[in-house]
Amino acid sequence: MSSAYRVLTALELEGLSDPSSEFAFDVLTGLAESPKRLSSRYFYDDRGSEIFQQIMGLEEYYLTGCEEEILTEHGQAILAATGDGPLSLVDMGAGDGKKTLLLLDRLAASGRSCRYLPIDISEAAMAGLTGRVQDRCPNIAVEGVVSEYFSGLQWLGHQPRWPTAGTTEPTILVLFLGSNIGNLDRPRARTFLRRLWTGLAAGDHVLIGFDLKKDIEVLLDAYNDSGGVTASFNLNLLRRINRELGGHFAVDRFRHFSTYNVFSGAMESYLVSLDTQEVRIDRLQSSFTFRAWEPLHTEYSYKYLLADIERLAAESGFEVVSQFHDRRAFFVDSLWRVKKG
Ligand code: AVI
């Protein structure tokens, strides 16, 4: 007799999950909350990823330039700390990979056996990145994954450690650059790092980009650039709802507002309604009322002290190998080793 129930495998469940309904559900619940909020993970549709590339090129958004300086000056030392055997380089939230190429160029020139495994949510960004790396570093094997960090992490945990015939087992270096960790609050950052730790073995490394606490004016300028690029990045979230969910946001009736919270140590970004308005979202079969000057929270960008970084490493099972910073000490790429047992 056949059983009256069926156990769905993780794979079957994954096949059922529909990212666009997840977006719809999060918009429905986020706009019904008080205060209203939407997750910054939804910034990164193809258009949002494109605008973010422009942000990274802005003088005011100092983070990218600082990290490029660190990887140029200290790339050799970072790679040397992982030994000289085969290396699997996992790049979480790779974007255009411009910074990672500073490491890949060195690896390609050294002849060290290497696989490059970028994970990114934007398919367009991934297509550009994998093509670029294959052209520039033909001796590096490239295997990209289009997914969010957490699914990417899960995928990583199920991968064999990519042994190459005749070589010793590769060590893994996970890159989590660009202050992406700053978009998670402290408890979520800890959980994320613990999940990362779970998929790694003793002696593997992670390199994490942290933006440091600094002059508040510098922070404010970085998230309120004079050309309005960050404003259009933030407002693209409303445009995305219009495009994908049949929203009727009049985008010019909202303004971007970004401020620094000295208690939490985070830049906080909002979209503020300029007047009282009702916005219909067809696919949600719902309308939402915004009062004049009502904020919609869209992003946290947490800033760190060196002591916060050390504590976070210890709490999530890593030991700090080295903290590499730029000449102004605005930004740190922190190299950690996995401790187990
Ligand atoms: C991707 N992330 C680290 C950026 C940040 O600084 O929080 C996103 C960003 N938001 C506004 N400007 C850039």
Side-chain angles (χ1 to χ4, degrees):
M1 205 174 98
S2 67
S3 62
Y5 62 87
R6 173 176 175 156
V7 179
L8 291 177
T9 64
L11 217 67
E12 284 168 316
L13 282 171
E14 203 172 304
L16 292 178
S17 90
D18 169 6
S20 81
S21 15
E22 207 179 318
F23 179 43
F25 179 75
D26 286 350
V27 172
L28 181 67
T29 51
L31 294 186
E33 271 182 52
S34 181
K36 292 180 171 57
R37 63 187 178 88
L38 290 173
S39 165
S40 61
R41 63 196 268 244
Y42 294 119
F43 280 151
Y44 303 94
D45 63 348
D46 287 343
R47 177 67 191 131
S49 299
E50 216 174 272
I51 306 174
F52 184 55
Q53 299 300 328
Q54 290 171 32
I55 291 179
M56 289 195 292
L58 297 172
E59 192 65 36
E60 290 142 307
Y61 193 73
Y62 58 85
L63 292 79
T64 312
C66 291
E67 197 167 41
E68 281 171 4
E69 182 190 324
I70 295 168
L71 295 174
T72 304
E73 294 299 316
H74 303 287
Q76 187 62 40
I78 291 166
L79 293 172
T82 66
D84 54 8
L87 181 71
S88 291
L89 193 64
V90 179
D91 195 355
M92 313 270 300
D96 67 356
K98 194 167 160 230
K99 286 172 285 187
T100 313
L101 273 163
L102 296 168
L103 297 177
L104 289 172
D105 282 341
R106 281 185 192 277
L107 281 164
S110 72
R112 184 171 171 188
S113 156
C114 174
R115 280 193 176 202
Y116 177 53
L117 301 124
I119 301 171
D120 200 274
I121 188 68
S122 162
E123 191 172 348
M126 180 60 72
L129 166 65
T130 49
R132 214 168 305 127
V133 176
Q134 278 170 326
D135 286 349
R136 202 150 127 172
C137 314
N139 56 341
I140 291 181
V142 184
E143 228 176 287
V145 178
V146 176
S147 79
E148 294 211 331
Y149 305 139
F150 282 113
S151 334
L153 274 184
Q154 229 174 343
W155 168 84
L156 173 67
H158 288 94
Q159 291 307 297
R161 290 173 66 83
W162 318 291
T164 324
T167 66
T168 49
E169 200 164 78
T171 186
I172 295 177
L173 169 61
V174 178
L175 305 177
F176 195 46
L177 303 178
S179 184
N180 286 335
I181 191 115
N183 297 130
L184 304 175
D185 62 23
R186 298 298 156 89
R188 286 177 66 228
R190 257 196 310 271
T191 306
F192 173 83
L193 292 165
R194 260 300 176 194
R195 288 177 74 171
L196 183 55
W197 178 92
T198 307
L200 297 173
D204 285 339
H205 289 82
V206 297
L207 182 72
I208 308 179
F210 291 93
D211 193 20
L212 297 177
K213 288 185 175 168
K214 60 181 65 62
D215 184 341
I216 293 170
E217 292 307 322
V218 175
L219 294 174
L220 291 173
D221 286 352
Y223 291 82
N224 295 282
D225 66 277
S226 48
V229 184
T230 309
S232 75
F233 178 63
N234 201 1
L235 288 162
N236 178 58
L237 200 46
L238 304 184
R239 294 200 176 91
R240 179 174 182 183
I241 296 173
N242 288 352
R243 280 193 295 269
E244 294 182 24
L245 302 179
H248 295 272
F249 278 102
V251 174
D252 57 356
R253 288 168 74 187
F254 288 83
R255 66 158 278 191
H256 161 76
F257 178 73
S258 198
T259 187
Y260 184 63
N261 182 329
V262 285
F263 289 111
S264 65
M267 284 300 299
E268 297 180 353
S269 296
Y270 299 89
L271 291 167
V272 181
S273 175
L274 296 179
D275 49 26
T276 298
Q277 48 185 319
E278 187 157 300
V279 180
R280 171 89 191 156
I281 303 180
D282 295 339
R283 245 197 81 189
L284 304 182
Q285 298 180 304
S286 306
S287 296
F288 301 89
T289 303
F290 288 81
R291 284 171 285 106
W293 308 114
E294 182 178 351
L296 160 60
H297 177 261
T298 54
E299 186 178 50
Y300 291 112
S301 302
Y302 281 88
K303 308 302 169 190
Y304 279 78
L305 296 173
L306 290 179
D308 299 330
I309 299 173
E310 276 156 23
R311 195 172 329 115
L312 189 59
E315 285 167 353
S316 42
F318 296 87
E319 64 181 324
V320 177
V321 176
S322 217
Q323 311 252 40
F324 300 96
H325 59 76
D326 60 291
R327 90 198 112 78
R328 291 181 292 181
F330 275 7
F331 197 92
V332 153
D333 274 335
S334 193
L335 183 67
W336 300 356
R337 187 182 298 116
V338 177
K339 281 200 308 190
K340 298 238 166 153

